[in-house]
Amino acid sequence: MGKRIVLLGPPGAGKGTLARQLADEIDVPHVATGDMLRAEVAEGTDLGLKAKQIMDSGGLVPDAIVVEMAVERLSRPDATDGWILDGFPRDVEQAIDLERQFSGAVPDITLYMGLDTDEIVRRITGRRVCPRGHVYHVDSNPPRTPGTCDEDGLELTQRDDDTKEVVAKRLQVYWEEIDPLVAHYDELGVLRRLDASGDAESVHARAIQLVSD
Ligand code: AP5
């Protein structure tokens, strides 16, 4: 089974949900640039302050910042044997930069998650998160007590970029970047298409089949 996995897909497709399951199963770190940026925002760092404005508008944080952050994370000892990238690379420049930083190494597999727009919006607008990053959905993955995280009892909120207006912008940015990125991984021979519809268990089962082939 390939252990260097990239998850591509629209906002709200379920990349984070799937990445967490796969990372546990194959025992590699889940590296999500969105989570890393949100941690910077929560800590109030200079980077976090800059990133927040961009994230709240639905745009992309500059490549140089994100690549440096990802490379630093992937250089740690726990990532030597593999990783699951979620939300990174976001464009071809980031993909090529990543390969350059790791002496031309390419992922073993890239799962390209496809989902229709109505379901994307349903998943995003129903998402609730706790300050420590646990993720729920009001319909498909509700907490035991509405509004409260099962894991740590903290209050659940909506992400600031999960409004309908910002989601529209995030989707527009996504569609501008995704085709060249998909073509890049297709040319490298590592692209697999994953139907991201259906419940999380079905998506996970399909993903396992694809990464095990
Ligand atoms: P990021 O955090 O990466 O956001 P995203 O790519 O838009 O993806 P999401 O986190 O919204 O969704 P997801 O696919 O992980 O879905 P999830 O599993 O949570 O990036 C945020 C921002 O940071 C960007 O806009 C940008 O500004 C910046 N950024 C990040 N990386 C960057 C980069 N590389 N370059 C530049 N800028 C960058 O699921 C969604 C919901 O659906 C949840 O409620 C979940 O419970 C539910 N759900 C999941 N799967 C299913 C299922 N199968 N059935 C029903 N419900 C499901």
Side-chain angles (χ1 to χ4, degrees):
M1 181 186 286
K3 285 199 161 192
R4 287 175 305 179
I5 300 171
V6 169
L7 298 185
L8 300 182
K15 301 181 294 297
T17 301
L18 177 60
R20 279 185 283 277
Q21 291 170 313
L22 293 178
D24 271 355
E25 282 160 7
I26 60 178
D27 197 24
V28 294
H30 165 208
V31 177
T33 43
D35 290 348
M36 294 164 83
L37 289 166
R38 280 185 287 279
E40 297 281 344
V41 172
E43 283 170 30
T45 64
D46 287 348
L47 166 57
L49 291 175
K50 272 185 225 152
K52 180 162 172 52
Q53 281 189 329
I54 301 171
M55 293 164 82
D56 287 355
S57 74
L60 290 182
V61 173
D63 288 348
I65 293 178
V66 181
V67 170
E68 187 183 335
M69 215 171 57
V71 167
E72 188 282 320
R73 178 64 189 89
L74 295 174
S75 304
R76 294 190 207 161
D78 67 336
T80 312
D81 291 336
W83 28 254
I84 298 188
L85 301 186
D86 156 15
F88 178 87
R90 209 73 163 209
D91 55 34
V92 177
E93 290 71 26
Q94 292 183 9
I96 291 172
D97 258 9
L98 177 68
E99 288 152 28
R100 197 179 294 131
Q101 297 276 355
F102 289 98
S103 313
V106 296
D108 299 310
I109 228 170
T110 296
L111 295 181
Y112 175 31
M113 302 173 76
L115 193 64
D116 70 56
T117 306
D118 286 350
E119 179 62 8
I120 289 170
V121 172
R122 194 195 71 80
R123 288 189 189 176
I124 292 187
T125 51
R127 173 165 49 197
R128 299 292 181 271
V129 294
C130 94
R132 295 196 182 129
H134 301 112
V135 177
Y136 299 85
H137 189 280
V138 290
D139 300 319
S140 53
N141 180 26
R144 283 190 296 272
T145 307
T148 303
C149 180
D150 292 347
E151 306 288 325
D152 44 36
L154 296 172
E155 188 190 353
L156 301 179
T157 58
Q158 271 192 294
R159 272 170 43 179
D160 290 341
D161 61 346
D162 275 355
T163 61
K164 272 197 175 164
E165 298 70 31
V166 181
V167 170
K169 173 69 179 169
R170 286 162 63 195
L171 278 170
Q172 182 200 328
V173 170
Y174 172 77
W175 289 118
E176 282 165 9
E177 302 293 348
I178 193 64
D179 286 349
L181 190 54
V182 165
H184 175 76
Y185 285 124
D186 208 8
E187 274 165 31
L188 292 173
V190 297
L191 190 80
R192 306 273 186 286
R193 287 171 195 274
L194 171 62
D195 173 3
S197 65
D199 60 23
E201 289 70 32
S202 316
V203 177
H204 172 248
R206 280 180 221 126
I208 285 288
Q209 211 156 19
L210 289 171
V211 299
S212 306
D213 275 352

